[in-house]
Amino acid sequence: MNGSTRRRVTLTGSVVGAVLVALDGTVLTVAQPALQDDLGASLAQVQWTSTGYLIAVASLLVFAGRLGDRYGHARLFGYGTLGFAAASAGIGFVPDIRWVIGLRVLQGVCGALLQPATLGMLRAAYAADSLGMPIALRTSAIGVAAAAGPLVGGALTAQLGWRSVFFLGVLPAVVIAVFVLAVRDDVRERPDDVPAGDRAATPEPRAVGLDPGGALLLAVALGCLVAALAGLPGNGWTAGTTLFAAGAGVAATGFVAHERRTADPLLSPALLVSPAVAPALAILLTASAALFGTLFTATYFLQDVLGLDPFGTALRMLPAALCMVLAAPLTPVLLRRCGSRATTAGGMLLLAAGVFGFGRLDTSAPQLAITACAFAMGTGFGTVMVAATESLVRRADLGAAGVAGGLQQTAMNVGPTLGVATATTLLASGADFVASMGVTLTVLAALLLITCAAAVQLPAIAAQRVTRARTRAP
């Protein structure tokens, strides 16, 4: 298969895989009330259909990325996508909420296999300085899925019942998985920026160990962290959430100690010492936490304070999703002209302005002010997501592209949970919702500004031009 066809199939697989995961989460949220009524489930059981999935996926993403680096990203993507589709179809037939929870956990495991691979495949198929637009298209597709999910899920649930939403992505998932598995290259893919005449002479990278001990410790740390954060909005700091938080700290300490001793650490020093990796991860984590914490707060403000119904609330915040979709493909142009540093910093500042501005709204807030804040948040977040992801994945060695993708996906899964937990805690600290909202969103905006300083570690335009020149040199 020629490189052009492989790139098209890879890009299609990456986009479809990312859309399936994003769409699954949004349509489920709409279908949960009907699911609860039909199966006679408790509210806690219904919450575990989301929490169980999130714990499974967040705890396994980095190890799944290492599996992709070892055995091939296309292979992991194909198997993960087929498993995701099978679990989705199974949920559509189950008679009991316990089966739904179990299959959602299985979906999380399969989602962990496919999500890092969507970025690892792109890194293997595209030259390093051509990653911006594929990542942007993937980001735009996620934005479309996030915006369309509630509408599609609501329509399907109303007309065909809650089970229909789980059949929505089964056929596309099977088709794209078969295509990707049929055209995948050798186990360890070679980058397209290696000249064709030199590929035969390029030595195969050493097959690194899987580090199961490190993977287990990291999984426990992340799983406990997500469980603690997911429990905060409904229960606050109970004995359970405190125990989970303590478990996360102990496991994280053990993970650091283990990684220093093992010969093949899950997080290699070569990846961690890259000046772009830690700043990009911090930026992605903070940006996603601030956005979703603000959206969570905005939902209660628009419905409980302004008296809008759920549909009216969705319409008010729709510009955020639309602007994210539109900003993503424009970001590669900014990256070429301004560099990662200026582009990421600009996106963070715009996102912070939108978050801070929403915190200044009150009962007399006009539609124009709400739209302006949503515009700033969507445009800023779309820019940050593409720019920081490009910096992270581009600077990872090909042999660590899956781990880099796993780290990116971990930040994007943990960030929203962290943002909602932070917003819930701060909102509960005051009696007046509008005043508490102002404090909450001011804190989130301040965190964005503090993290924005990390963008100075990302490459400036001059450094990126030097990198491209070296890449293209014979």
Side-chain angles (χ1 to χ4, degrees), residues 394-410:
R394 172 180 178 166
R395 279 154 186 82
D397 292 335
L398 186 62
V403 171
L407 289 171
Q408 191 268 359
Q409 289 295 309
T410 300

Side-chain angles (χ1 to χ4, degrees), residues 24 90 94 98 130 135 138 163 227 230 242 257 302 376 383 390 423 438:
D24 177 82
V94 295
R98 289 169 293 185
S130 301
I135 290 174
R138 177 181 175 278
R163 297 177 187 274
T242 302
L302 294 174
T383 302
E390 193 266 356

